[in-house]
Amino acid sequence: MSEQPTVADYIVRRLAREGITDCFGVPGDFAFQLCDAVARSEAIRWIGCSNELDAAYAADGYARVRGCSMLLTTYAVGELSALNGVMGAKAERSCVFHLVGMPTMRHQRVRKITHHTLGDGEFQNFAKISAQAACVSAVITPDNCVHEMERLIATARAESRPAYILVASDYAVTPVTGSAPAPYPKPASGPDLAGAVAAIAERIETARSLAVLPAYTVPRFKLRDSLRALIKALGCPFAATPMDKGVLSEAHPQFVGTYSGAASSAAVREAVEGADLVLDAGGVCFHDLNTSAYSSRISPERLVTIDVDYVRIGDSIYNPVRMGDVFDMLARSVRRNFGYSAPPRPTPAKPGGKPNDPITTAALYPRYRDFLKPSDQIVIETGSSTSGIVPLPLPDGAEVHSQSLWGSIGWATGAALGIAIADPSRRTVLFTGEGSHQLTAADIGTMGRNGLKPVIFVLNNGGYMVERALEENPDWVYNDLAPWNYHALPAALGCRGWFTAKVTTLGELDAALARAATGESASYIEVVTGRMDMPAQLALAHQRLDAMYANG
């Protein structure tokens, strides 16, 4: 046996050095050699998923917690099934290493007609598609494996986006060749850094008021501490958009609230839109859902953007400058402290309603607020659940995971699987709607199989609530769904010992919440509400359809 590891073993060992301990995937014959390498690895555990899309969603969630993740699929049919999930990871900056096994080079060189192809003897046409979902890609050979893995990892880490790694099955079992890997250069700030920081500091010095909007990229690049230090030095208020909720603790004395344009409270709008200068810390995404149908009112001349690798002040661009370097240097440079301290949080009213009352949105979300605990990993599906959860105050240390930019329904259930595996020491709480849940409910079985203990709330309101809200006529037949018995799913999918309930009244809901809060087991609660009973933010979007979709 050769002393050199095979290509498959080398790749698995190298990814393990990045802190990955789990691989999400679906086996396939062209990927068997790669799957074998994971199965015999002592460092990385195989997490088999029901389909490739679910595996991609799980890998996205895992990467948000661990910093990177591993996804393994077979050629063509497998990688293309995963593509939507990988593309979402690219959009929202999750570093997923997508490893794909393809037919042997022996077959490729003679243009053999094989299954999982178009029957034309071409083997690289799918690679062109999958590479578009990544920031870097490579076809791995025994000769290039060592050095290409360093390039792939360094680039994907620097971008916090997916890498696409394609390996022929005969090459996967061939020993690697070549010399020891040379360190791949890490991206660094250039000469513009000093000028960018000086320009920002000058704007801060002359501003009458300042607000900071932290972006979702801050935790992706592990820069929470750096941004906290900068905000402390500035002594100014900061707010978070829905996409960036929980980036910094909402218990922070300078946190003013959630900012989403017209859906924001008056105090938050005044702090942000009324500020003389707004510091965009990380590249906030001012998309339609994040701004309540483009109702944000921050003029470009008052906005300074510190993005991942550049700074923009008006029409001036400073690059390359790395976000963390700007935070650190600016925190040391600023002399102005605005002396802001948020007023004490008002004590929230206890949830209302009588035990026999039906569950309404107005009574449901205050109960969710009281259910959440410090350090929870909160996973929210894009839709009506997002609109209800985002306005709730977070306990200290709780984190929120959502996918509001890419917005692929079904993401949250898959992501919750990856998040729970990435950090089982913390409670994972999933809020999803039935329409989204029907796409990826099979992940519940994977959670049970791996001994996870999530708390899952499935909102049953008779169809696609968010779709009904986003069009003038909510009664089209395509917004209806098959009426599943959701609370029966865990047992049907092989989960043992789970607490399950279907609740239709406030009394039943309160009892289920109390039982789930004990943490004695995983919990799955089907919550039945009215067909058009929607949170206030979603109702506002319904009123702004023309602005949201440019209907005229």
Side-chain angles (χ1 to χ4, degrees):
M1 182 176 178
S2 172
E3 294 182 0
Q4 289 285 80
T6 65
V7 167
D9 286 329
Y10 184 90
I11 292 171
V12 172
R13 293 174 191 176
R14 182 62 187 86
L15 292 178
R17 284 167 49 195
E18 295 301 303
I20 297 171
T21 57
D22 304 274
C23 174
F24 302 92
V26 177
D29 52 0
F30 294 138
F32 280 164
Q33 289 77 10
L34 298 172
C35 295
D36 291 348
V38 174
R40 62 175 166 260
S41 170
E42 295 182 357
I44 295 183
R45 172 179 58 159
W46 173 260
I47 305 293
C49 297
S50 299
N51 60 68
E52 292 88 357
L53 179 59
D54 285 10
Y57 288 156
D60 182 349
Y62 186 100
R64 291 173 184 233
V65 176
R66 291 284 191 92
C68 61
S69 65
M70 183 177 178
L71 169 67
L72 203 167
T73 65
T74 196
Y75 172 79
V77 294
E79 64 182 298
L80 296 181
S81 291
L83 199 58
N84 174 40
V86 179
M87 192 67 82
K90 182 179 183 180
E92 303 211 356
R93 289 190 179 267
S94 288
C95 180
V96 176
F97 293 102
H98 185 193
L99 184 59
V100 175
M102 66 175 174
T104 64
M105 292 305 297
R106 297 183 182 93
H107 278 176
Q108 291 189 47
R109 288 190 169 109
V110 298
R111 298 174 63 85
K112 196 86 168 180
I113 305 301
T114 70
H115 63 285
H116 296 343
T117 73
L118 300 178
D120 56 3
E122 293 290 337
F123 290 89
Q124 296 298 315
N125 39 17
F126 308 118
K128 298 174 184 177
I129 299 171
S130 291
Q132 295 302 307
C135 71
V136 61
S137 62
V139 177
I140 299 297
T141 69
D143 294 333
N144 72 17
C145 179
V146 172
H147 294 282
E148 280 289 68
M149 285 304 297
E150 298 309 307
R151 181 180 70 90
L152 289 161
I153 290 170
T155 306
R157 287 290 219 172
E159 294 268 340
S160 190
R161 282 183 165 140
Y164 175 56
I165 307 170
L166 196 56
V167 186
S169 52
D170 52 348
Y171 280 178
V173 294
T174 304
V176 298
T177 60
S179 58
Y184 195 81
K186 293 184 178 180
S189 297
D192 274 6
L193 175 62
V197 171
I200 298 171
E202 182 180 354
R203 289 290 302 271
I204 292 171
E205 190 67 28
T206 59
R208 290 167 295 181
S209 56
L210 172 69
V212 175
L213 292 175
Y216 68 103
T217 55
V218 171
R220 300 288 197 274
F221 289 91
K222 310 299 182 185
L223 293 174
R224 280 191 171 104
D225 290 343
S226 293
L227 182 55
R228 269 192 291 261
L230 174 58
I231 288 174
K232 182 179 179 181
L234 292 170
C236 66
F238 73 90
T241 72
M243 184 174 176
D244 310 310
K245 186 175 178 66
V247 165
L248 296 182
S249 172
E250 295 187 0
H252 194 288
Q254 291 165 241
F255 178 68
V256 69
T258 301
Y259 176 70
S260 184
S264 316
S265 70
V268 173
R269 290 186 70 181
E270 174 57 30
V272 177
E273 296 179 358
D276 202 33
L277 183 65
V278 177
L279 202 60
D280 170 4
V284 172
C285 195
F286 294 98
H287 63 79
D288 46 2
L289 301 182
N290 213 26
T291 59
S292 298
Y294 303 116
S295 63
S296 174
R297 296 293 179 265
I298 304 173
S299 60
E301 62 270 15
R302 292 189 290 112
L303 185 67
V304 170
T305 297
I306 304 171
D307 216 307
V308 172
D309 55 5
Y310 72 91
V311 165
R312 178 171 182 168
I313 304 174
D315 292 330
S316 298
I317 298 292
Y318 300 82
N319 66 266
V321 292
R322 301 298 294 181
M323 175 169 56
D325 293 339
V326 177
F327 290 166
D328 292 343
M329 191 170 178
L330 192 58
R332 296 191 300 267
S333 303
V334 293
R335 296 173 294 172
R336 180 82 179 276
N337 187 291
F338 289 84
Y340 175 83
S341 183
R345 281 187 183 180
T347 302
K350 292 184 178 181
K354 299 177 181 178
N356 291 330
D357 288 347
I359 300 170
T360 63
T361 295
L364 173 63
Y365 288 100
R367 285 171 164 78
Y368 284 161
R369 174 201 66 207
D370 294 346
F371 179 80
L372 297 175
K373 296 179 180 179
S375 300
D376 276 349
Q377 298 270 22
I378 303 165
V379 190
I380 316 174
E381 183 62 70
T382 303
S384 56
S385 295
T386 302
S387 301
I389 296 295
V390 164
L392 302 182
L394 290 180
D396 189 23
E399 292 185 53
V400 171
H401 303 277
S402 65
Q403 198 202 46
S404 63
L405 173 59
W406 188 245
S408 182
I409 67 169
W411 172 86
T413 301
L417 165 63
I419 288 164
I421 286 178
D423 189 356
S425 69
R426 300 172 68 178
R427 186 175 72 165
T428 299
V429 184
L430 166 63
F431 296 97
T432 186
E434 58 177 323
S436 301
H437 195 52
Q438 286 199 9
L439 273 74
T440 48
D443 284 322
I444 301 303
T446 309
M447 293 178 190
R449 178 185 179 189
N450 287 279
L452 303 176
K453 295 170 65 177
V455 179
I456 298 170
F457 296 98
V458 178
L459 189 65
N460 180 348
N461 45 28
Y464 290 113
M465 161 70 82
V466 68
E467 307 293 350
R468 298 191 199 280
L470 295 180
E471 60 178 328
E472 292 185 9
N473 181 0
D475 296 323
W476 291 110
V477 64
Y478 52 73
N479 286 326
D480 297 334
L481 290 165
W484 288 11
N485 293 317
Y486 295 95
H487 66 290
L489 286 176
L493 295 171
C495 301
R496 298 182 178 181
W498 283 38
F499 165 67
T500 64
K502 179 178 182 178
V503 297
T504 61
T505 68
L506 294 178
E508 293 171 344
L509 174 62
D510 289 337
L513 290 169
R515 172 62 177 79
T518 65
E520 295 174 0
S521 66
S523 296
Y524 185 103
I525 302 171
E526 177 184 351
V527 182
V528 181
T529 64
R531 183 172 177 271
M532 288 299 292
D533 182 18
M534 64 184 74
Q537 272 194 310
L538 195 55
L540 177 64
H542 181 67
Q543 296 164 13
R544 293 182 53 85
L545 296 181
D546 288 347
M548 187 165 179
Y549 297 111
N551 292 330

